[in-house]
């Protein structure tokens, strides 16, 4: 049998870079600049397959996935149906899986998901839709699963299987330990899988513990497989799947033996692959300044030496002999890199007045800057850059914090009920809000019921008042605290609306009003429910529209990371050291967000509280700078400048 690397995909993928066969990679993969670009290409392949089957008067049998990865594919297929006449009349679909137990009407069911995102908007015949039934009696499950397999076989087998991948390496719900010969069956979900799903279910306690899933052997019999993965959170499992040994501990590695499988990735999901993370170990490189910085930092960590201690031998022994030959000597490279990193460090994030700023990350002038600190949720400001926030205020800048969303969905029902009961006891009937109705609603709220408007207002007010408490503690005036409550967020559920013109206009208005010299924004796209990405896109769109304005010539954009990841050392353009007292101030500011402290609804894959994550991350960044031979600090907050 040919290896997967020798098989060309059924469609010409226009990837960001030509696929390189290396000794590390065992599955054909294509890398795109964005998940949107990649999704359109995948949708084109599916449409091409459907049309080719129609020309032959044959059915097209598709295996479909759920989750965030295929959403844009389904949107593009719907667009093709409505605008280009793509018909699904000959299409038969089989979904990979469904939670168990789970009713079809539940808005967390995959039955609901598929109809919401695809089936309700196309001309597929209802009898051609096959989704595992989460209501089958437990004693009938085995026969039901056998019948599901037979239905696939009787339809002619899967012509195309669309897959995502979980952080455990599961495809479908084939969790670690799944056998290559496994068929459709009921399975117990891995804890990590349930943690990843917890945001959609408003907490892990509400996530089902079992699911019905197609088996590995069912998937492997597909004639064509495309697996999609987006974002930094998938990078590590993608590396293990593409470069690791085949193992039931990572079920996706079984795809290495499929004769026609392609992994479609965005750049973030590909970052851990050897040819991207350490390309000098693969072959000769085009040594850009950024790649040189990345390689030298990696070499320091590999050899456990500071920058100025690296030798010619260190470079030669670790795949960088061509870089050494190009630059001439380790000494010159080391000095240059040391200076680059040293010049990122500043205790003056708004620029230091009356000083030479040629080697500083920020301008000296104007000495007093107007600053907008955008915060996607009402706590990202202090979690991500509380120390820098405080410095900017103390150093006399006109700082405005702008909360882009209300954050109401992250407040638990119990927390809201507590506040409603206190308010009801205190003010009785004299309030404009009927707290007794709020209490009654929360006490009788059914599974998956969307919060009433009054409940959402209450939850938003809880987060708003926590934000005021935190910013006052930092030292900011109330008049410089702004709440946008962007409409895309206000759905009352985890699923948000797409970014719209109204959202962009609101962001644009606040920028135009303040006319900032500095904008700080969350550049962390690993947020578990995507709000950070939407908020950043709103800022990008607003800045693009405002760019012709004269005041925008003096506006610099700085990106910080949220609670999930930090910038790599070679990516950092400004490193702001924090003293022990500033670390403590930041901690206390975060703790004012009490509703997010003990029962975090959107925790991601990290069980630590946000203030602990923030401190550990900032301290680890300081340790890395110290290990590279630079000054030793208590903690460092990091930023990357972005040219918009």
């Amino acid at each position: 049998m040919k290896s997967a690397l020798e098989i060309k995909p059924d469609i010409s993928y226009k990837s960001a870079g030509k696929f390189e066969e290396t000794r590390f990679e065992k599955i054909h993969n294509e890398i795109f600049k964005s998940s949107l670009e990649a999704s359109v290409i995948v949708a084109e392949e599916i449409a091409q397959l459907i049309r080719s089957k129609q020309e032959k008067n044959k059915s097209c049998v598709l295996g479909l996935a759920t989750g965030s990865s295929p959403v844009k594919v389904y949107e593009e297929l719907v667009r093709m149906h409505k605008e280009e006449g793509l018909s699904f009349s000959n299409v038969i679909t089989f979904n990979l899986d469904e939670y168990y137990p789970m009713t079809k009407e539940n808005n967390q069911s995959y039955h609901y998901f598929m109809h919401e995102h695809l089936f309700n908007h196309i001309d597929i015949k209802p009898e051609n839709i096959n989704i595992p039934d989460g209501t089958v009696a437990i004693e009938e499950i085995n026969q039901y699963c056998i019948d599901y397999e037979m239905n696939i076989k009787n339809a002619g087998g899967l012509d195309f299987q669309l897959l995502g991948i979980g952080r455990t390496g599961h495809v479908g719900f084939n969790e670690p330990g799944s056998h290559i010969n496994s068929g459709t069956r009921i399975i117990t979900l891995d804890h990590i899988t349930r943690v990843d799903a917890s945001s959609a279910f408003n907490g892990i306690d509400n996530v089902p513990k079992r699911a019905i899933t197609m088996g590995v052997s069912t998937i492997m019999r597909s004639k064509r497989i495309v697996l999609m993965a987006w974002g930094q959170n998938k990078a590590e499992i993608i590396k293990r799947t593409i470069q690791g040994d085949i193992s039931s501990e990572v079920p996706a590695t079984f795809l290495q033996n499929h004769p026609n499988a392609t992994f479609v990735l965005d750049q973030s999901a590909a970052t851990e692959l050897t040819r991207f993370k350490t390309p000098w170990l693969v072959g000769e490189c085009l040594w850009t300044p950024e790649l040189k910085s990345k390689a030298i930092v990696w070499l320091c960590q590999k050899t456990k030496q500071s920058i100025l201690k690296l030798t010619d031998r260190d470079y030669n022994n670790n795949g960088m002999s061509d870089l050494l030959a190009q630059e001439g000597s380790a000494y010159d490279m080391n000095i240059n890199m040391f200076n680059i990193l040293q010049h990122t460090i500043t205790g003056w994030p708004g620029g230091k007045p009356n000083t030479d700023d040629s080697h500083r990350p920020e301008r000296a002038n104007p000495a007093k800057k107007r600053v907008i600190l955008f915060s996607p949720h009402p706590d990202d400001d202090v979690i991500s850059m509380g120390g820098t926030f405080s410095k900017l205020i103390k150093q006399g800048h006109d700082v405005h914090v702008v909360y882009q969303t209300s954050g109401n969905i992250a407040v638990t029902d119990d927390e809201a009920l507590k506040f409603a009961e206190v308010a009801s006891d205190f003010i009785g009937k004299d309030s404009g809000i009927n707290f007794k109705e709020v209490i009654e609603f929360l006490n009788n709220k059914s599974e998956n019921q969307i919060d009433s408007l009054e409940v959402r207002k209450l939850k938003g007010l809880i987060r708003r008042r926590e934000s005021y408490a935190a910013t006052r503690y930092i030292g900011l005036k109330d008049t410089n605290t702004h709440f946008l409550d962007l409409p895309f967020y206000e759905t009352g559920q985890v699923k948000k609306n797409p970014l719209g013109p109204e959202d962009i206009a609101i962001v644009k208005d606040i920028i135009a009003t303040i006319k900032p010299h500095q904008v700080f924004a969350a550049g962390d796209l690993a947020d578990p429910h995507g709000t950070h990405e939407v908020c950043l896109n709103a800022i990008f769109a607003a800045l693009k529209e405002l760019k012709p304005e004269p005041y925008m010539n003096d506006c610099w954009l700085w990106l910080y990371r949220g609670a999930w990841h930090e910038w790599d050392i070679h990516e950092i353009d400004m490193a702001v050291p924090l003293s022990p007292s500033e670390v403590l101030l930041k901690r206390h500011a975060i703790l004012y967000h009490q509703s997010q402290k003990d029962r975090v609804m959107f925790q991601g894959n990290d069980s630590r509280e946000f203030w602990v994550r923030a401190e550990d991350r900032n301290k680890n960044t300081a340790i890395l700078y110290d290990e590279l031979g630079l000054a030793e600090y208590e903690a460092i907050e990091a930023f990357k400048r972005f040219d918009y």
Side-chain angles (χ1 to χ4, degrees):
M1 178 184 290
K2 291 184 177 181
S3 72
L5 295 179
E6 293 176 88
I7 302 296
K8 301 302 179 186
D10 293 337
I11 193 168
S12 177
Y13 282 83
K14 303 168 185 174
S15 62
K18 185 180 178 182
F19 175 69
E20 301 169 46
E21 295 182 10
T22 77
R23 65 183 184 276
F24 298 100
E25 297 179 14
K26 302 169 184 177
I27 299 178
H28 175 254
N29 59 86
E30 295 286 352
I31 319 300
F32 292 81
K33 289 182 179 179
S34 71
S35 59
L36 177 58
E37 177 190 359
S39 296
V40 170
I41 296 295
V42 173
E44 286 176 356
E45 176 173 353
I46 295 172
Q48 180 178 307
L49 176 63
I50 293 171
R51 290 183 177 118
S52 68
K53 290 283 187 175
Q54 287 170 346
E55 290 172 0
K56 301 172 185 175
N57 200 28
K58 291 183 177 180
S59 296
C60 179
V61 185
L62 302 179
L64 299 180
T66 50
S68 59
S69 297
V71 168
K72 295 296 182 183
V73 173
Y74 297 149
E75 286 181 6
E76 179 63 12
L77 289 172
V78 170
R79 187 201 65 79
M80 289 180 179
H81 170 68
K82 292 181 176 179
E83 298 180 12
E84 300 177 8
L86 176 64
S87 175
F88 291 78
S89 59
N90 70 318
V91 173
I92 301 172
T93 65
F94 290 89
N95 262 76
L96 282 164
D97 42 30
E98 177 61 280
Y99 290 110
Y100 186 87
M102 180 64 68
T103 63
K104 295 177 181 179
E105 296 74 27
N106 190 311
N107 61 16
Q108 301 305 332
S109 75
Y110 289 160
H111 184 278
Y112 181 93
F113 177 97
M114 290 305 304
H115 284 79
E116 182 80 4
H117 289 284
L118 183 63
F119 297 146
N120 288 345
H121 313 289
I122 59 177
D123 63 338
I124 190 169
K125 297 174 183 175
E127 62 269 24
N128 286 351
I129 297 171
N130 297 276
I131 303 172
D133 187 349
T135 65
V136 175
I138 190 67
E139 62 272 14
E140 298 173 8
I141 284 284
N142 287 341
Q143 186 58 50
Y144 176 82
C145 292
I146 292 170
D147 292 343
Y148 200 79
E149 289 275 340
M150 288 304 299
N151 289 340
I152 295 174
K153 184 177 180 180
N154 292 338
L158 298 171
D159 295 307
F160 182 101
Q161 177 64 64
L162 190 64
L163 296 174
I165 185 171
R167 286 193 301 120
T168 63
H170 70 244
V171 285
F173 274 134
N174 291 285
E175 297 285 19
S178 295
H179 196 273
I180 191 169
N181 292 328
S182 58
T184 300
R185 67 202 186 283
I186 190 166
I187 193 167
T188 300
L189 298 178
D190 188 275
H191 176 72
I192 293 176
T193 299
R194 296 181 67 239
V195 167
D196 287 348
S198 62
S199 61
F201 284 87
N202 290 335
I204 191 169
D205 292 342
N206 301 318
V207 181
K209 295 182 178 180
R210 292 183 292 181
I212 300 172
T213 183
M214 278 191 204
V216 176
S217 66
T218 320
I219 293 169
M220 291 292 286
R221 287 194 295 271
S222 306
K223 300 176 183 70
R224 168 78 169 135
I225 294 176
V226 170
L227 183 149
M228 302 180 299
W230 321 132
Q232 185 72 39
N233 281 348
K234 298 296 176 69
E236 184 59 40
I237 195 62
I238 284 296
K239 177 185 177 182
R240 291 179 65 190
T241 301
I242 291 177
Q243 297 187 186
D245 294 332
I246 295 175
S247 167
S248 62
E249 286 305 301
V250 183
T253 56
F254 290 127
L255 297 175
Q256 292 178 17
N257 283 334
H258 193 277
N260 194 12
T262 296
F263 279 34
V264 177
L265 316 171
D266 66 2
Q267 291 180 339
S268 295
T271 51
E272 291 296 317
L273 294 178
T274 301
R275 64 181 164 115
F276 288 97
K277 187 169 185 177
T278 52
W280 48 89
L281 299 179
V282 176
E284 291 189 2
C285 299
L286 177 62
W287 287 103
T288 62
E290 182 180 7
L291 188 59
K292 279 194 289 187
S293 297
K294 181 179 182 179
I296 293 170
V297 170
W298 174 85
L299 185 58
C300 289
Q301 294 171 330
K302 175 82 164 22
T303 61
K304 294 181 169 54
Q305 297 185 97
S306 62
I307 295 171
L308 298 179
K309 289 184 178 180
L310 295 174
T311 65
D312 288 358
R313 177 174 290 181
D314 292 323
Y315 284 91
N316 284 328
N317 288 349
N318 289 280
M320 293 185 235
S321 57
D322 57 332
L323 174 60
L324 185 62
Q326 175 182 307
E327 298 295 322
S329 75
Y331 178 82
D332 291 335
M333 273 194 294
N334 297 345
I335 289 289
N336 182 59
M337 184 62 197
F338 183 87
N339 288 335
I340 288 172
L341 286 180
Q342 190 173 50
H343 294 156
T344 65
I345 302 172
T346 181
W348 296 81
K352 188 172 184 180
N354 305 314
T355 57
D356 176 13
D357 60 11
S358 57
H359 294 300
R360 289 179 174 273
E362 250 296 354
R363 305 147 289 173
N365 295 311
K368 306 299 181 185
K369 294 181 173 66
R370 292 185 298 275
V371 180
I372 293 180
L373 196 173
F374 280 109
S375 181
H377 302 95
D379 58 1
D380 291 308
D381 53 336
V382 289
I383 289 173
S384 300
M385 54 175 292
T388 302
F389 188 178
S390 174
K391 284 182 186 290
L392 288 165
I393 295 171
K394 289 177 180 177
Q395 291 166 5
H397 300 288
D398 180 21
V399 181
H400 296 256
V401 64
V402 177
Y403 298 107
Q404 293 176 269
T405 71
S406 67
N408 61 63
I409 65 164
V411 178
T412 65
D413 293 343
D414 291 341
E415 188 79 5
L417 182 60
K418 176 179 71 177
F419 276 85
E421 289 172 339
V422 169
S424 180
D425 290 344
F426 183 70
I427 63 177
K429 298 179 181 179
D430 297 330
S431 169
I433 297 178
N434 190 327
F435 285 102
K436 290 193 181 299
E437 287 188 5
V438 169
I439 293 167
E440 184 179 355
F441 177 91
L442 291 170
N443 278 325
N444 296 285
K445 184 178 176 182
S446 61
E447 184 182 11
N448 300 305
Q449 185 177 0
I450 296 174
D451 284 341
S452 68
L453 183 59
E454 283 197 324
V455 170
R456 281 151 54 192
K457 284 182 178 178
L458 174 62
K459 290 183 176 182
L461 283 173
I462 291 169
R463 298 211 67 183
R464 182 172 293 204
R465 287 302 165 185
E466 289 174 344
S467 297
Y468 273 123
T471 54
R472 288 168 186 163
Y473 182 75
I474 290 286
L476 190 70
K477 299 179 295 184
D478 284 359
T479 53
N480 283 27
T481 301
H482 311 270
F483 297 87
L484 302 187
D485 291 345
L486 293 181
F488 86 88
Y489 184 90
E490 297 301 324
T491 63
Q493 52 188 332
V494 175
K495 182 186 175 185
K496 308 300 186 297
N497 291 324
L499 182 68
E502 188 180 356
D503 301 297
I504 296 167
I506 292 170
V507 174
K508 182 179 172 182
D509 285 346
I510 192 75
I511 296 173
T513 300
I514 296 171
K515 297 179 174 57
H517 302 98
Q518 284 183 312
V519 170
F520 290 87
D524 181 4
L525 305 185
D527 176 43
H529 49 101
T531 301
H532 282 216
E533 183 174 9
V534 179
C535 287
L536 184 61
N537 286 336
I539 295 169
F540 284 158
L543 290 173
K544 184 178 180 181
E545 291 183 19
L546 289 168
K547 197 162 189 177
E549 299 294 331
Y551 60 84
M552 295 304 294
N553 293 328
D554 297 322
C555 181
W556 288 14
L557 175 60
W558 292 97
L559 300 183
Y560 62 83
R561 282 284 175 92
W564 319 104
H565 293 286
E566 184 56 280
W567 298 110
D568 289 334
I569 293 292
H570 71 278
E571 297 176 306
I572 296 172
D573 294 315
M574 181 161 66
V576 180
L578 306 183
S579 67
S581 62
E582 287 171 323
V583 170
L584 194 58
L585 179 142
K586 174 174 176 171
R587 179 196 301 177
H588 288 159
I590 295 171
L591 291 177
Y592 274 105
H593 294 274
Q594 191 65 41
S595 70
Q596 304 302 295
K597 182 180 180 299
D598 297 319
R599 290 186 61 191
V600 182
M601 294 178 68
F602 303 106
Q603 187 111 8
N605 57 5
D606 192 331
S607 61
R608 294 173 298 167
E609 291 186 25
F610 285 129
W611 71 270
V612 178
R613 286 192 229 181
E615 284 190 19
D616 288 350
R617 185 183 68 182
N618 296 157
K619 288 182 178 181
N620 286 338
T621 303
I623 289 169
L624 286 173
Y625 268 82
D626 179 34
E627 290 175 344
L628 292 171
L630 293 125
E632 183 178 0
Y633 296 102
E634 178 71 12
I636 288 177
E637 291 178 337
F639 304 86
K640 182 175 180 61
R641 188 178 167 196
F642 189 87
D643 293 323
Y644 55 90

